[in-house]
Every structure is written in C-alpha cells, then in structure tokens.
Amino acid sequence: MLKLFFILICLPYASHTFSQDKWLFVTEPFPPYFSEQLPQQGWLADIVVTALASQDIEASIEFTTWARALRLLEKNKRTALLGAYYSAEREKIFHYSRPLANSFTGLFKRKSSKINYDGSLTSLQPYSISKGSNYIVSEDFSSEHNLAITATNDLISSLRVLQLGRVDLVAGTKEVGEYWLNNHPQLQTGQSIVYIPPHLASHYLYIIFSKSATQSKQQLIQLENGFNTIVNNGEAAQVLLRHGFSEAKTEQYLQFLKR
C-alpha cells in the first residue's frame, strides 16, 4: 500500500519532467534576425521557438561569439546552432535544416575613403580586410590566398577597427552590419561607415546539428515537423505579424519556409 502511494505521488512529477524536451541553441547575435536585445529575441528566434513548442519542446538560446558557438556544437555541448551559412566543409560534420531566411555578404568601407572595388576579388588585393573569426563570406573569398585578411571576435569589433582606420575594409553580412551601425553605441561615434556594392554572395540561414550527436537526426525531424505545424495552423503568420511584418511580406515568407 505504501509503495502504491509513493508511485501515485511521484507520477505527476515524472509526467511533468519527461513530457517536454529542452533544447539549448547557441549562436552569435545576428540582428535584425535574432539577438537578446530584440523582442522575443528577434523574429527568426521567435519562429524557431514557436515551431519547437508545437512539438512540446522547450527551446532557449545562448548568445556568444561565433567561433565559440561552433566549438560548443562540435563538442556536443549544445543541441543546435541557429543561423549558420552553408559550406561544403561544414556539411561534412553538421546536419542542415531547411533554409530559414536569406541575407547578403559584402564589404563595408569608411565613407570618406576611396576604394576601387569592381566586384572581383582581384580588385581587393591592395586593401586590408577585417572579418569575424570563422565567418563565411563566400566560398571564393575563403579560398583567395592573395587577400590581406585579419580576424576579430565579431562584426562589431571589425567595424570598430575600420572606423579607427586600422583596416581598409570589413567583410560581413550586409543586414547585420547596417543594423549594428545604426544601433550599437560603440559605432555611433567615429567615422561614417557604408556598405558598398556589389554583394560578394547571398546566403541562406540554417539551423545545424552535429552529426556526431546520437539524437541529431531525430531532432532535425522534430524541428522540421514543427515548422510544418506552425505554417499550417497559422502560428507562424501570427509570429511574423507580431514582429511588424506586413501581410504581403508574411505570405512571402511563409511560401519561403514551406520549401
């Protein structure tokens, strides 16, 4: 009788403990897509958390530097990484989700400086370039060994180095760099920085899982099921409208997410 009483007491606790999985994502702040300073950590973070909640999975996001985020995932210390670009090298060790958004990479310069850039990597050889550590700019950019490239911890640091005149250019994501230039306190003073066309590349943003993690394939399936669920039940549209998307932009993104 006492044993039965103990089981009945513990049953609700066990149900509460195991009814919902908990995932910990890791990434670098990447506004306007996601950042700890944005409402609900940004529209893309909100989409991901909502998708997983539809599968009874609780998700949280840790923000750190990009290089550290990759190391944590490679060592299976986090569930997944949010916002990775594709590369053939990365695909050898990571499972990729469906595309979640797109962005452009390219070059930033001081507004006052004259840069003779015609879209070719050869035209960049006279200049010093900074970028974030472990950032993908483009496949050609990564394999070009005649460029003077130095790395910083993140895009903010690279843009600050550019403002101070220590490099000629910064390579990074257009949308994120422009957001930081307009919103980050460290970049509000100093020389004006502008993005210069043409783009070096366009990229999709993905969620990636370590192939060495035993549950990674199953987790990817759960994630994809979550996206399908919130597109079909209308929750994805509600998230986007909450973040200021127009109805037309919302429909456009939903069609993109259905791929």
Side-chain angles (χ1 to χ4, degrees), residues 2 25 27 32-34 39 44 48-50 60 66 72 87 90 114 119 138 193 197 204 208 226 232 235:
L2 183 61
F25 286 84
T27 191
Y33 303 92
F34 44 83
L44 188 53
V48 172
V49 170
T50 302
S60 60
W66 186 250
L72 288 171
S87 77
R90 284 182 182 172
K114 182 174 177 58
S138 74
I193 304 297
Y204 289 136
I208 56 176
N232 293 330
E235 285 188 275

Side-chain angles (χ1 to χ4, degrees), residues 37-206:
Q37 280 82 32
L38 295 172
Q40 288 80 47
Q41 298 186 320
W43 70 266
L44 188 53
D46 204 357
I47 284 286
V48 172
V49 170
T50 302
L52 289 171
S54 77
Q55 305 302 298
D56 202 25
I57 297 170
E58 179 183 339
S60 60
I61 302 173
E62 174 188 349
F63 291 96
T64 183
T65 63
W66 186 250
R68 180 172 179 267
L70 283 171
R71 287 197 302 270
L72 288 171
L73 186 62
E74 288 173 356
K75 295 178 180 179
N76 298 327
K77 294 183 179 293
R78 300 295 183 271
T79 311
L81 188 150
L82 172 61
Y85 288 165
Y86 174 84
S87 77
E89 285 300 310
R90 284 182 182 172
E91 193 178 30
K92 295 176 183 177
I93 55 176
F94 299 121
H95 295 299
Y96 275 76
S97 71
R98 72 181 69 183
L100 302 181
N102 53 17
S103 64
F104 294 98
T105 52
L107 299 163
F108 296 85
K109 76 175 188 72
R110 292 183 296 279
K111 190 174 183 179
S112 59
S113 65
K114 182 174 177 58
I115 301 292
N116 294 314
Y117 169 57
D118 61 9
S120 68
L121 294 180
T122 303
S123 66
L124 298 178
Q125 290 180 7
Y127 306 111
S128 56
I129 306 170
S130 178
K131 74 177 189 68
S133 179
N134 290 102
Y135 283 13
I136 289 175
V137 177
S138 74
E139 295 285 358
D140 290 341
F141 186 89
S142 299
S143 61
E144 176 54 66
H145 301 297
N146 294 318
L147 298 179
I149 301 172
T150 58
T152 63
N153 285 336
D154 50 40
L155 184 53
I156 296 169
S157 301
S158 287
L159 291 170
R160 185 59 181 155
V161 167
L162 177 61
Q163 277 189 331
L164 295 173
R166 296 174 184 169
V167 294
D168 300 310
L169 295 165
V170 164
T173 300
K174 177 183 186 291
E175 296 85 354
V176 179
E178 290 179 339
Y179 181 92
W180 288 133
L181 288 169
N182 290 326
N183 293 279
H184 198 280
Q186 288 185 354
L187 300 173
Q188 300 308 297
T189 59
Q191 298 191 54
S192 180
I193 304 297
V194 295
Y195 183 86
I196 57 174
H199 307 304
L200 286 169
S202 62
H203 297 275
Y204 289 136
L205 277 69
Y206 302 87

